[in-house]
Amino acid sequence: MTATSGSRFSLEKHGSVLALGVLFILAGIIGWPYFLQVENLVNVMRQSSYTGIIALGMTFVIISGGIDLSVGAIAAFVASCGVLFMNYVLVHNGGNESSAILLGIAVMLALGFLCGALNGFLITKGKIVPFIVTLGTMSIFRYISLQMANAGEFASHSQAYGEFGMSKVISFDVSGNNVSLPTPVLALFLIAFILSFILHNTRYGRYLCAVGSNARVAQYSAVRVDRVRFWAYGVIGLCIGASAALLAARFNTVSTPNFGLGFELDAIAAVIIGGTAMAGGRGSVWGTVIGVFMLQIIQNMLNMAGLSPYLQGVVKGVVIIASVYIQRQRQ
Amino acid sequence: MLKKLLIALLIVTMFASAEFAQAKYKVGVSMPSATHGWMANANWWAQKAKTDWEARDKSITVELKYAGNAAQQSSDIEDLLVKKVNAIVVFPFDTSVTSVVEKAYNQGVYVVVLDRGVSKEGIYDVYITNDDEAYTRKGMEWMAKQMNYKGNLLLITGIPSPIDTIRTDTIKTVVAKYPNIKLLDVQPGDWNRQKSTTVMENYLQKYKQVDAVYTADDDMMLGAMQAYKESGRTDIKLWLGGGCLKDVIKGIMDGKSIMAGYPVVMADVTYSPSVIATSISYACIGVKGDKLNPYTYQVRALPRRVILPSELVTKENAKDFYVPAAPF
């Protein structure tokens, strides 16, 4: 048992890395000569990071046996409130931009957590299926934002916040080109590192897998199932807050009808491609990061090749189904 | 088999990209994908402008990107910049593309932005838009005249958004001039045919005497007509949509109803999806540094702000607006 399961595990573990590698080479060929340009690769990473951060939280939720459809709507709501608060502080605090930005981001993180907690509360205490709860909150938060802005948009008054959105950290040289990592990409890796640590090295991580694979058995083993599931929604809430703060900064404006639209499906797709079981119980945070990159690389390479934009959606769908099919074969 | 297919695909795409790389002027276009009839027509017009320009001028290639949401649109524009386009035409979802457009402009790319615009000045070469105010002003004035400035009017509006607000407010302003026209109700039909049918069903239950229905969108007008047809009522004499779907224009031309049992439509107002094709032309002319026409004096650069007119379409001029090849 140990030997076979060990080798299977490593295949499963490295399978998605392998897939990413193959896709990368394919993209290099199809998207030649543009795909491999450093600027493009940095773009791809940044483009992945916003849904990517949400997908990290989604990994926890799906491992716990749940689902969250409300992420895009919560992102819009949280970003709207954050930008409004930031503008308020700017006006009433004598234009101290850095404190306004910090407070604004803090508000987004806190609100994100609260929105996630509301989902978690309704699911665990209200005993309503996650799909239904988050379907409901998706509508609620989207329409609260629309109501707040009269379906328009909130522009931030802070120039520095927009600069923060486009900011880069950690520069290094690649064959004479100065490359720097955009802030959201760093955030993606940082959050992935933390969540991966929690999943693999803490009691909570083990409980999460236990609850996801069989909630009743976990219950009998004295795991507080409701609490474990609740915190999974808290985690995704924080991730949404972080993603919303970064995305709003990038645009320096929040357009309530469009902000975060369709994020839930991209995030779920990335989690599934990354090898997390839809039924819950097992999953990988770094797999999700790979899944996010794969989705974005597909879009980018087809863009670079100048193929019909409609076909991109087809390819995306095929990849989602194929990756789940391959993982099913392996089990 | 699969391998062969893949290789074929690779060869095709490499040729495609190689061809793109050789052109002297690369024009990138980013716009929303076809989620409703009007945008499908706009996609078709973009395709037509691409075909026309590439046939007309060997130095130009046009590349089209259709995005499903605002975040993807930003990615598309970044991808076009990596491909070193010389000019870019952006039909924005909303103003959140502003920072990417600014980046393009600062890189020296010739920028044409449309319609919903960008939230900052001085980051584009040309701004082109349809005229939302005149669109419903002309429509409502025509409607009021046909109603003899009296009677009961129902309104179905689009998705709550800045554009829809301009249109609806304009209608209300015009109606306010004529005290004998009573605006019974205003409900959103979200520019969606099914939704509009539902709204109309509710209207028909609620209001027993209606003279005219204005939807400011042909898709929604057809949806509302379906509900009217099913109700079997005969009180509503006047219908007006907008945006010139080809079936509606055909109906106006022939003086016939669009579908059996539907009332006859007498007019339409243009809000042309060909605005994207015009914009692509501006980008091609602008990036080459050509003149728009021989009648302008001195200034070589194109006008910075262009507002395309909304026109009233009736039986007399309908044939000018009938495009049989367009999808809708």
Side-chain angles (χ1 to χ4, degrees):
Chain A
M1 180 214 163
T2 48
T4 46
S5 73
S7 77
R8 255 188 218 157
F9 180 65
S10 75
L11 180 67
E12 191 165 309
K13 193 175 179 183
H14 300 303
S16 45
V17 181
L18 200 73
L20 182 67
V22 171
L23 183 66
F24 194 84
I25 294 167
L26 197 69
I29 299 167
I30 292 180
W32 186 265
Y34 309 106
F35 178 78
L36 287 175
Q37 285 171 15
V38 175
E39 187 195 349
N40 185 53
L41 295 177
V42 172
N43 278 348
V44 169
M45 285 205 284
R46 187 179 49 222
Q47 290 160 6
S48 322
S49 54
Y50 306 105
T51 38
I53 291 171
I54 290 175
L56 295 177
M58 189 69 85
T59 312
F60 268 42
V61 168
I62 290 182
I63 290 176
S64 82
I67 192 89
D68 192 343
L69 302 176
S70 63
V71 292
I74 292 181
F77 173 67
V78 162
S80 303
C81 295
V83 166
L84 280 181
F85 186 75
M86 204 176 284
N87 289 345
Y88 176 83
V89 174
L90 259 183
V91 172
H92 292 268
N93 207 16
N96 184 346
E97 283 204 37
S98 40
S99 68
I101 291 170
L102 281 177
L103 281 169
I105 293 174
V107 163
M108 291 191 219
L109 288 173
L111 260 182
F113 176 77
L114 286 177
C115 294
L118 175 71
N119 278 337
F121 180 78
L122 289 171
I123 289 162
T124 55
K125 294 292 167 215
K127 307 270 180 236
I128 312 172
V129 190
F131 190 97
I132 306 295
V133 168
T134 57
L135 190 66
T137 48
M138 169 167 81
S139 184
I140 291 169
F141 285 118
R142 175 66 66 190
Y143 282 91
I144 291 178
S145 324
L146 287 174
Q147 177 67 37
M148 279 162 59
N150 203 6
E153 46 199 23
F154 294 116
S156 124
H157 300 158
S158 160
Q159 193 72 31
Y161 186 51
E163 281 158 18
F164 164 70
M166 298 302 276
S167 67
K168 293 176 173 178
V169 285
I170 315 180
S171 346
F172 45 88
D173 278 349
V174 176
S175 59
N177 290 325
N178 188 4
V179 184
S180 8
L181 219 52
T183 312
V185 179
L186 182 78
L188 174 74
F189 284 128
L190 203 69
I191 296 171
F193 181 79
I194 296 168
L195 291 189
S196 176
F197 180 83
I198 292 175
L199 187 61
H200 295 298
N201 298 309
T202 65
R203 197 172 61 178
Y204 177 75
R206 288 193 299 279
Y207 283 179
L208 192 68
C209 293
V211 167
S213 63
N214 194 330
R216 185 155 297 175
V217 171
Q219 185 91 54
Y220 291 147
S221 320
V223 176
R224 302 172 94 154
V225 172
D226 278 354
R227 192 171 289 187
V228 171
R229 289 167 76 194
F230 175 84
W231 279 103
Y233 289 93
V235 166
I236 197 173
L238 277 173
C239 291
I240 297 168
S243 173
L246 290 161
L247 191 60
R250 187 187 176 195
F251 297 145
N252 214 5
T253 177
V254 181
S255 141
T256 48
N258 292 324
F259 195 92
L261 201 65
F263 274 22
E264 57 281 347
L265 297 182
D266 279 345
I268 293 169
V271 173
I272 298 306
I273 291 174
T276 296
M278 193 71 202
R282 67 185 171 83
S284 152
V285 171
W286 289 107
T288 299
V289 174
I290 288 171
V292 165
F293 283 159
M294 279 176 71
L295 278 179
Q296 196 64 40
I297 287 175
I298 292 165
Q299 190 201 319
N300 183 265
M301 100 187 159
L302 297 178
N303 247 353
M304 290 307 168
L307 278 189
S308 157
Y310 299 128
L311 287 180
Q312 296 181 11
V314 177
V315 175
K316 191 165 142 185
V318 169
V319 168
I320 293 170
I321 294 175
S323 67
V324 174
Y325 179 74
I326 291 165
Q327 282 159 22
R328 199 187 69 96
Q329 298 299 90
R330 240 190 265 126
Q331 279 165 32
Chain B
M1 168 63 191
L2 190 71
K3 207 184 273 177
K4 271 186 198 159
L5 206 72
L6 254 175
I7 291 170
L9 189 78
L10 281 187
I11 292 169
V12 167
T13 53
M14 277 168 84
F15 269 109
S17 44
E19 194 191 335
F20 189 68
Q22 277 163 8
K24 208 164 151 215
Y25 299 106
K26 295 194 260 182
V27 179
V29 181
S30 167
M31 64 189 297
S33 53
T35 46
H36 54 275
W38 191 88
M39 198 53 92
N41 274 350
N43 283 189
W44 180 84
W45 278 105
Q47 193 65 49
K48 179 170 167 54
K50 172 185 159 74
T51 318
D52 288 353
W53 271 102
E54 286 175 353
R56 186 183 301 144
D57 191 333
K58 290 292 165 223
S59 70
I60 284 179
T61 48
V62 180
E63 183 163 346
L64 307 175
K65 301 280 178 230
Y66 305 144
N69 58 51
Q72 198 200 334
Q73 180 163 46
S74 295
S75 304
D76 281 349
I77 297 171
E78 283 180 337
D79 292 352
L80 288 168
L81 291 182
V82 168
K83 295 187 84 170
K84 299 272 179 289
V85 289
N86 306 94
I88 195 161
V89 179
V90 182
F91 192 152
F93 265 92
D94 54 50
T95 58
S96 58
V97 293
T98 303
S99 59
V100 195
V101 170
E102 184 174 15
K103 185 173 150 194
Y105 186 74
N106 290 339
Q107 282 182 11
V109 174
Y110 192 86
V111 175
V112 179
V113 290
L114 277 88
D115 207 25
R116 293 166 236 193
V118 286
S119 60
K120 205 168 174 181
E121 268 304 309
I123 58 167
Y124 53 79
D125 294 280
V126 183
Y127 169 84
I128 300 186
T129 181
N130 277 310
D131 192 345
D132 284 289
E133 192 269 339
Y135 177 62
T136 46
R137 179 166 46 78
K138 286 192 174 170
M140 193 55 231
E141 287 288 4
W142 177 85
M143 197 93 173
K145 194 172 168 210
Q146 299 294 316
M147 292 169 78
N148 278 326
Y149 306 106
K150 62 177 193 293
N152 293 335
L153 173 70
L154 279 172
L155 200 55
I156 302 178
T157 60
I159 295 172
S161 58
I163 284 182
D164 192 62
T165 308
I166 296 174
R167 292 180 179 180
T168 310
D169 287 352
T170 307
I171 294 173
K172 286 178 182 165
T173 313
V174 175
V175 169
K177 290 201 297 186
Y178 308 113
N180 293 331
I181 295 179
K182 196 169 166 223
L183 184 55
L184 293 176
D185 212 334
V186 183
Q187 295 289 334
D190 294 353
W191 289 314
N192 175 302
R193 197 180 284 201
Q194 282 82 30
K195 179 85 193 282
S196 173
T197 306
T198 315
V199 172
M200 194 66 205
E201 279 168 354
N202 298 344
Y203 276 170
L204 289 168
Q205 288 300 316
K206 208 165 151 191
Y207 305 103
K208 294 301 165 202
Q209 172 55 43
V210 180
D211 299 298
V213 175
Y214 188 15
T215 61
D217 178 79
D218 283 344
D219 250 336
M220 289 204 294
M221 181 185 71
L222 295 176
M225 279 180 171
Q226 180 63 30
Y228 178 65
K229 177 187 161 187
E230 286 165 7
S231 76
R233 278 168 57 164
T234 52
D235 52 331
I236 308 178
K237 299 283 177 270
L238 210 53
W239 296 81
L240 184 61
C244 297
L245 292 188
K246 75 175 175 191
D247 290 347
V248 177
I249 298 296
K250 186 88 171 62
I252 296 170
M253 252 164 73
D254 303 345
K256 288 182 185 150
S257 68
I258 300 143
M259 235 182 268
Y262 279 20
V264 178
V265 180
M266 290 188 292
D268 207 333
V269 187
T270 62
Y271 189 83
S272 187
S274 63
V275 63
I276 183 70
T278 307
S279 308
I280 293 171
S281 292
Y282 269 78
C284 293
I285 295 166
V287 74
K288 290 177 71 179
D290 287 349
K291 263 192 161 185
L292 185 60
N293 68 52
Y295 305 114
T296 47
Y297 289 94
Q298 279 205 329
V299 180
R300 207 169 185 83
L302 302 183
R304 283 198 68 244
R305 295 178 75 84
V306 181
I307 300 176
L308 300 175
S310 278
E311 294 172 75
L312 189 69
V313 180
T314 53
K315 193 165 182 164
E316 286 71 46
N317 62 355
K319 66 175 189 337
D320 299 339
F321 298 95
Y322 183 54
V323 188
F328 290 99

